[in-house]
Amino acid sequence: MRITSIENQKRNQSRRSVFIDGKYALSLSANLVDVLKLNANDSISKNNFEKISVASELEKAFSRALKFRSIRHRTATEIKNYLLKKKYSDLTIEKTIVKLQKLNFIDDKEYARMFCADRLHLKPISQKALVLLLQKKGVNRLIAEDAAQSAYINVDEDKIIYELASKKFNQMTSSLKSINPEKQKKRLINYLLSRGFSTEKIFQTIKNFYK
């Protein structure tokens, strides 16, 4: 096998089309061509070609993962699932995630910390609910529990549930006047349950609104 030519791609000047024995073989970034020291007329074994193909797939997977990550912070599991949908091999995905972790583009502990802080600020839920949401995103249970506990160190959960209940109660009494108090009460209970609060805390809180 011989590299016949390495040509600039018209649509993407940062990539090169590699032709082997006169036929298009694969696409590589200009940087990878330089790193692998590939040149036209070089002889190439089947084994080396396979290594180049693996390097090419890893580079593409990393580029895609980085673009996906640039939109917002992601967990390792979210990136893994994204790359699986793009049909990359398990080995390529594993290597990509390790590389992202080494470069600090993936950090589940930091992700969990930021997620808890943002959620408590924008849309408060219980500490238990925070843990469950993080686990759904693939964060390890112990990491999730530690992040949620840290987020709640200076937070009064009783105050949060009271403020949520009060806001919801006022909304219902102004917009759902035709609904009897008992149905309003059930709606308020279901709303607070959806935020992950325990039934004990919920019933203790709604005593302030329904005598």
Side-chain angles (χ1 to χ4, degrees):
M1 299 170 67
R2 185 179 296 278
I3 297 177
T4 312
S5 64
I6 301 175
E7 302 176 6
N8 294 350
Q9 292 188 352
K10 293 181 179 179
R11 292 185 178 181
N12 190 343
Q13 292 296 310
S14 67
R15 297 195 66 79
R16 304 289 183 264
S17 294
V18 179
F19 292 81
I20 294 179
D21 295 336
K23 296 180 180 180
Y24 171 79
L26 74 168
S27 170
L28 302 173
S29 70
N31 179 64
L32 190 56
V33 170
D34 291 338
V35 169
L36 297 175
K37 298 180 180 179
L38 301 178
N39 295 289
N41 296 319
D42 284 351
S43 295
I44 182 171
S45 66
K46 183 177 180 180
N47 184 52
N48 281 339
F49 176 73
E50 289 177 355
K51 288 181 179 180
I52 293 170
S53 297
V54 169
S56 175
E57 183 181 65
L58 181 58
E59 182 186 52
K60 289 177 182 177
F62 180 78
S63 179
R64 274 192 163 177
L66 200 59
K67 186 176 181 179
F68 181 62
R69 160 65 178 76
S70 68
I71 300 171
R72 64 173 177 81
H73 287 281
R74 309 281 184 178
T75 65
T77 298
E78 286 178 320
I79 289 181
K80 177 182 178 180
N81 291 337
Y82 171 76
L83 292 176
L84 280 171
K85 289 180 181 179
K86 298 299 181 182
K87 308 299 183 182
Y88 287 102
S89 68
D90 290 341
L91 182 59
T92 294
I93 293 172
E94 182 182 347
K95 288 183 176 181
T96 299
I97 289 175
V98 168
K99 185 176 181 179
L100 288 167
Q101 288 172 331
K102 286 182 178 179
L103 294 171
N104 293 320
F105 286 120
I106 297 179
D107 185 340
D108 280 4
K109 286 185 178 180
E110 179 62 13
Y111 175 93
R113 184 193 68 78
M114 292 178 63
F115 178 87
C116 290
D118 289 345
R119 189 60 197 256
L120 282 179
H121 176 67
L122 300 172
K123 196 175 181 182
I125 54 177
S126 70
Q127 185 173 326
K128 179 181 178 182
L130 280 175
V131 174
L132 292 175
L133 279 179
L134 284 170
Q135 285 186 279
K136 285 183 180 180
K137 292 178 177 294
V139 176
N140 175 275
R141 180 177 60 82
L142 294 178
I143 292 176
E145 288 176 348
D146 183 62
Q149 185 176 8
S150 296
Y152 259 93
I153 286 179
N154 297 314
V155 174
D156 185 347
E157 189 170 77
D158 291 337
K159 183 180 179 182
I160 286 180
I161 188 173
Y162 178 82
E163 289 176 347
L164 288 172
S166 179
K167 183 178 180 180
K168 188 67 173 179
F169 176 78
N170 290 333
Q171 288 175 347
M172 290 192 301
T173 52
S174 62
S175 62
L176 302 174
K177 293 179 181 180
S178 60
I179 298 179
N180 65 57
E182 195 58 35
K183 286 187 177 180
Q184 287 185 12
K185 183 178 179 180
K186 287 182 179 179
R187 290 195 179 193
L188 180 57
I189 290 172
N190 288 333
Y191 168 72
L192 294 173
L193 283 171
S194 72
R195 291 300 183 95
F197 296 103
S198 67
T199 53
E200 181 181 355
K201 285 196 172 187
I202 290 172
F203 284 112
Q204 186 66 36
T205 301
I206 63 175
K207 286 180 181 179
N208 296 286
F209 307 98
Y210 299 97
K211 305 299 183 182

